[in-house]
Amino acid sequence: MRTSPAGNGHSFGNLVLAIALAVAGWNRFAAASRRHAETAVIRVMVPASERPFWRPIAERFARTHPGARVELVEGAESTDLREDLYTASLLARDPTFDLVYMDVTWTAKFAAAGWLRPLDRLFTAAECESLLPVALAAGRYSGRLYRIPVRTDVGVLYCRRDLLEAARLPAPQTMDQLFATAKRLQSPPSRWGFVWQGKQYEGLVCNYLELLSGCGGFWVDPETQEVGLDRPEARRALSFMVRCLAADGISPPGATTYQEEESRRLFQDGRAVFLRNWPYVWSLAQAGDSPVRDRIDVVPMVHEPGRRGWSTLGGWGLGLSSYSRHPGLAADLVRIVISLEGQRWLCARTGFAPARREAYRDPELLAANPFLVRIGALHQHALARPTIPRYDMASDILQRHLSAALTGGETVSGALAAAAQETRRVLGPRVPGR
Ligand code: GLC
């Protein structure tokens, strides 16, 4: 959260200072009360690193909505922490946040709890059609729309093209090829073969799901509630991760503590051959001062022979709090974010992939980030995480057991058997018929 700037002390006596502070305090209080009377404030919490890119959006809103303004509250970077903060506020029916800046996986839980207003009537069919169908679909729950996507994410594998070319090796397609190529090109600890997000958090689930699907397996079928974690495919996917981390493997032991940024920095510093991450990395790794500029490539995530690579579908959108006192104004702010200009403000300098379809053909955005052309194509193989109201509990179970297997506390089969059993307990009986 932002704090207001503190005043500086100077050489007046304590009494004078106390009086001055009291007067200043009163003036601030009076100004705040006047503002309260005049101004509708639309509040949304965004990660601290994104706030600068939301500012032009807030300014446009203030210009086009006299008497109203946007307050961008800075939240933690991790999706799990921000979900906890929003959850605490919404559980208390607190009107502080008008809009909920939501991960793709929060829709079912927040909608089922009654914390979000349906948006079907607030947004026209044309407005919805202007957005990527796969991202829009992630905002539906029980036949209604609760989240408007503002940016999308797909998991990809970044490669050091220069190293592959020098060794005359192709980019890997299978998990075994990734292992063998990484092993050949690495020289740990100065350069590791493969870095990814192994910390116990949502990102670990995203990494695992790509391998799981690449082995032909599944986590939870949202239709039937069937759980696939104690099947051989699930064990093969996790065994691969464990193998990467082994003493004769290709990933640094610290990978079990990495989120996106830790792994991105290693790759960008030239200290890793392969990196699994989201599209934002491309713009940063291609920046003028990046040591790997013009030396990288992007390919789909690896898989088992005879199958194909999958990208976990990620991304962020806006939901409208049931407790907002200004739903109409909040919806207007969403409109600015998904307008072409809003998408440029949010995506051009961050490398985020837009949610608006037209943005993928926009000369201004393409000039800022030519990689967008390729991201657009990857959406076809995007893998949605299950839309279930108890998603956070299912994810928490999986995170815990994956992490235990990666750090040696559980065996692969023990971890997955326990995760499967606990998940079934949380989800309840299987729906028959499939
Ligand atoms: C990215 C994705 C989000 C995912 C998160 C995991 O922010 O957009 O969907 O849950 O990473 O760390």
Side-chain angles (χ1 to χ4, degrees), residues 149-198:
V150 304
R151 67 178 185 89
T152 60
D153 259 335
V154 275
V156 289
L157 184 67
Y158 291 86
C159 312
R160 280 288 300 277
R161 186 172 38 81
D162 58 335
L163 299 178
L164 289 172
E165 279 171 7
R168 295 175 187 275
L169 289 169
Q173 293 181 0
T174 67
M175 288 145 68
D176 284 344
Q177 286 166 359
L178 169 66
F179 196 93
T181 308
K183 186 101 188 153
R184 200 157 139 205
L185 298 179
Q186 73 176 1
S187 47
S190 57
R191 187 166 72 211
W192 284 95
F194 178 39
V195 291
W196 40 287
Q197 296 85 55

Side-chain angles (χ1 to χ4, degrees), residues 105 161 176 178 189 207 211 216 242 274 286 308 327 399 410:
T105 52
R161 186 172 38 81
D176 284 344
L178 169 66
N207 281 238
L211 293 169
V242 170
F274 297 104
Q286 284 293 82
R308 68 158 197 245
Q399 291 172 29
E410 290 178 3

Side-chain angles (χ1 to χ4, degrees), residues 50 77-80 82 103-106 147 151-154 197 201-204 206 259-260 276 278 312-316 385 391:
E50 282 186 33
E77 294 296 319
S78 131
T79 171
D80 310 58
R82 268 181 291 136
D103 197 344
V104 77
T105 52
W106 303 358
R147 170 189 179 274
R151 67 178 185 89
T152 60
D153 259 335
V154 275
Q197 296 85 55
Y201 81 120
E202 183 62 30
L204 174 57
C206 298
Q259 299 190 44
E260 283 79 358
R276 182 274 169 206
W278 308 105
T312 298
L313 177 71
W316 292 82
R385 282 162 276 173
Y391 179 84

Side-chain angles (χ1 to χ4, degrees), residues 263-305:
S263 54
R264 197 261 308 164
R265 280 195 205 106
L266 271 180
F267 181 77
Q268 193 165 323
D269 286 348
R271 299 189 52 209
V273 186
F274 297 104
L275 160 74
R276 182 274 169 206
N277 213 314
W278 308 105
Y280 81 99
V281 170
W282 179 267
S283 299
L284 295 171
Q286 284 293 82
D289 59 351
S290 161
V292 296
R293 183 186 160 94
D294 292 333
R295 296 172 172 199
I296 62 170
D297 205 352
V298 176
V299 292
M301 195 52 193
V302 289
H303 48 84
E304 281 187 337

Side-chain angles (χ1 to χ4, degrees), residues 17-50:
L17 184 61
I19 294 171
L21 287 176
V23 171
W26 168 256
N27 284 344
R28 261 204 308 274
F29 172 75
S33 321
R34 271 200 308 279
R35 251 205 326 269
H36 185 73
E38 299 162 0
T39 315
V41 181
I42 303 301
R43 261 185 224 95
V44 57
M45 176 171 52
V46 300
S49 60
E50 282 186 33

